[in-house]
Amino acid sequence: MQILLAEDDLRLGRLIKHMFEREGAKIDWVVEGEAAFEYAVYSSYDIIILDWMMPGESGLSVCDRLRKHGYQGVILMLTAKDAVEDRVSGLDTGADDYLVKPFEFSELMARIRALFRRSNNKLIEDIVIIGKLIFNRTTKIMKYDSREICLSGREFQMLDLLIQNRGQVVPREVILDRVWGLESEVTSNNLDAYVRLLRKKIDSPDGKTFIHTVRGVGYRLEE
């Protein structure tokens, strides 16, 4: 399960992250609303857990923006607000469920499992076809026609990010963060080198390129 957690309480955030990882989930943790929105837009998650009150943009605002942006994934709101009107406000904004602090981790897990079961996620192969390229997220296999293309883990992550946002420019900073992490020493030049290698592997024999450079900004994948 892929989870995005937006929680500015560092102690609670560390605890939730640790507990979910112990259960085998992959979890990204941010502490600000704007970061939560960007992560949600540029990545693919099964569940987003939003704290109502965060520095800058609130979780309620993030939820509202995501829904207006067309986000269809599952959103769970965490909050200390327990008045009925607050719960109604959160649900009306687009949250799928609502959990009042303080809570037991077992209850949070039960809510997440229930939301996951009710979500539209299906246990089928997630296959994207772009021209003659066939990209399978489940098996992590890439093919051009019937020819299998061998990708490294980083190349697969980078291509998956670009495919999820195909037709849109993905900034360099977002790619570096999502593929290598904020603490990585990978530079913009290293990123360019990875893109060149990836192009050699996936570009068609007739010279058609799928990954386009947007100078000074980042990269865009087009069909």
Side-chain angles (χ1 to χ4, degrees), residues 129-135 141-149 201-206 210:
I129 299 175
I130 303 173
K132 293 185 178 181
L133 285 177
I134 302 172
F135 185 76
I141 291 176
M142 184 88 188
K143 290 183 178 181
Y144 186 90
D145 277 345
S146 59
R147 175 174 62 88
E148 188 169 317
I149 300 171
K201 291 185 177 183
I202 71 171
D203 282 355
S204 63
D206 61 7
F210 295 95

Side-chain angles (χ1 to χ4, degrees), residues 24-66:
K26 182 181 183 300
I27 181 166
D28 291 325
W29 173 31
V30 297
V31 297
E32 294 182 347
E34 182 61 33
F37 180 82
E38 291 182 359
Y39 269 62
V41 168
Y42 287 112
S43 301
S44 178
Y45 295 100
D46 298 306
I47 308 280
I48 296 178
I49 303 173
L50 289 175
D51 181 31
W52 185 307
M53 300 298 295
M54 286 184 290
E57 188 172 10
S58 71
L60 193 67
S61 173
V62 173
C63 181
D64 185 49
R65 272 217 293 159
L66 284 172

Side-chain angles (χ1 to χ4, degrees), residues 52 60 82-95 98:
W52 185 307
L60 193 67
D82 60 355
V84 172
E85 56 268 27
D86 292 323
R87 301 185 191 188
V88 170
S89 178
L91 295 171
D92 282 348
T93 302
Y98 189 104

Side-chain angles (χ1 to χ4, degrees), residues 8-193:
D8 67 309
D9 183 322
L10 300 184
R11 180 177 176 276
L12 179 58
R14 279 194 293 267
L15 176 61
I16 293 175
K17 187 173 189 296
H18 170 73
M19 297 299 285
F20 271 111
E21 288 177 338
R22 195 173 70 176
E23 294 291 327
K26 182 181 183 300
I27 181 166
D28 291 325
W29 173 31
V30 297
V31 297
E32 294 182 347
E34 182 61 33
F37 180 82
E38 291 182 359
Y39 269 62
V41 168
Y42 287 112
S43 301
S44 178
Y45 295 100
D46 298 306
I47 308 280
I48 296 178
I49 303 173
L50 289 175
D51 181 31
W52 185 307
M53 300 298 295
M54 286 184 290
E57 188 172 10
S58 71
L60 193 67
S61 173
V62 173
C63 181
D64 185 49
R65 272 217 293 159
L66 284 172
R67 293 310 190 200
K68 288 177 179 177
H69 190 77
Y71 184 79
Q72 299 295 315
V74 176
I75 298 176
L76 170 70
M77 192 78 70
L78 300 179
T79 181
K81 297 175 178 287
D82 60 355
V84 172
E85 56 268 27
D86 292 323
R87 301 185 191 188
V88 170
S89 178
L91 295 171
D92 282 348
T93 302
D96 295 284
D97 201 356
Y98 189 104
L99 188 57
V100 177
K101 299 177 181 179
F103 53 81
E104 295 292 331
F105 183 75
S106 58
E107 182 182 4
L108 175 60
M109 278 298 300
R111 297 283 188 98
I112 292 297
R113 285 194 294 266
L115 287 169
F116 186 70
R117 287 194 299 269
R118 296 203 306 264
S119 73
N120 292 324
N121 294 311
K122 301 178 179 64
L123 296 178
I124 59 173
E125 292 186 336
D126 190 1
I127 298 174
V128 180
I129 299 175
I130 303 173
K132 293 185 178 181
L133 285 177
I134 302 172
F135 185 76
N136 190 318
R137 288 197 185 95
T138 304
T139 62
K140 296 190 175 182
I141 291 176
M142 184 88 188
K143 290 183 178 181
Y144 186 90
D145 277 345
S146 59
R147 175 174 62 88
E148 188 169 317
I149 300 171
C150 182
L151 298 177
S152 69
R154 299 292 189 192
E155 289 170 341
F156 185 89
Q157 287 179 274
M158 190 189 315
L159 187 57
D160 191 22
L161 179 61
L162 291 171
I163 285 175
Q164 289 176 44
N165 298 280
R166 55 190 179 277
Q168 303 179 49
V169 180
V170 182
R172 288 172 171 272
E173 295 77 11
V174 171
I175 298 174
L176 289 170
D177 179 22
R178 303 302 300 126
V179 177
W180 285 275
L182 290 172
E183 305 302 320
S184 171
E185 296 182 358
V186 173
T187 66
S188 191
N189 288 337
N190 296 142
L191 174 59
D192 292 336

